[in-house]
Amino acid sequence: MRSKLYLFAVIMCSCMLFACGEKKTEAETAPADEQTATAPEQDPGAMVASVNGYVITAGELSREVEGLLAQFGARVPAEQLQALEPKMREQALENLITKLLLLQEADSLGIQPSEQEIAAELATVTSQFPSPEVFQEQLTAMGISAERLNSDIENHLKIKSVFEKATASVNPVTDEEITGFYNDNVDTFKVPEQVRASHILFKIDQDASEETRALKKNELAALRE
C-alpha cells in the first residue's frame, strides 16, 4: 500500500500544494470564459477549467478524483467515501489548478529536469515496489503508460524545484518555535471526544442450515455483550 501511495503522489502531484496565493487568486478571479465548471457526467474532453489559457478536461479531473479516492479508500468507510466524493471533486480541481500554476511558474523560471534526473527519480519510484515486475503490474492496473509516467515524473521534479527556490531563503523552524507556537495555541489542538458508529454484518447464505444460522446468532450475541 505504501508503495502504491508513493506512486500516486508522484503521478498526481496532489501532495504538491503550497501558498502560491497571488497566482492562484489570479486564476480564481478570471472571467467566466477563463475558468468554467463542468458536470461530472460530461464527456472526458469537456473543459472543466482554463488556467492562463491551458484547458483542464473532465477526463483529467476524473483521473485526479480516482487518485484521491485511492489514497483515502483504505481509511474511510465506503458509505462515507461516497458522501465525500463531491468534496473530493472540488479538491481534485483545486489540485489540478494549483499544479498547473506551479508548472507554469517552473516554465517561467526556465526549470527543466535533465534526463538523468528523471531516470533517477524513476529508479526511486520503482524501488518502492518488491520488484520491477510488480511495479509494471501496478502501472498496467492503473492504466498508466511509460510515456505518461515519465511526463508525470518530469512535472513532479519541476514542481519540486519551484518549492526549493521558493523556500531557499526560509530559515528552518526550531524546536523552540514549535513549542512556543503550540503553547500559544493549545486550544486549537484540542479535539473533543468523538464516537463513530459502525455496523458489523454477518453474511449467511440463503440455503444455510439451521445449525449455521444458530452459530451466527450466538456470535452476534457475544459481540453485543
Side-chain angles (χ1 to χ4, degrees), residues 88-114:
M88 284 192 174
R89 290 189 70 83
E90 293 179 15
Q91 182 60 59
L93 181 57
E94 288 295 320
N95 289 353
L96 288 172
I97 292 172
T98 302
K99 186 171 99 173
L100 272 175
L101 289 170
L102 290 169
L103 290 174
Q104 290 172 0
E105 179 67 12
D107 290 340
S108 71
L109 294 172
I111 296 172
Q112 179 57 54
S114 66

Side-chain angles (χ1 to χ4, degrees), residues 152-173:
D152 288 329
I153 288 176
E154 180 181 347
N155 289 340
H156 170 75
L157 291 173
K158 284 183 177 182
I159 292 173
K160 182 180 177 182
S161 294
V162 172
F163 271 91
E164 290 171 349
K165 287 182 177 292
T167 59
S169 60
V170 177
N171 294 323
V173 179

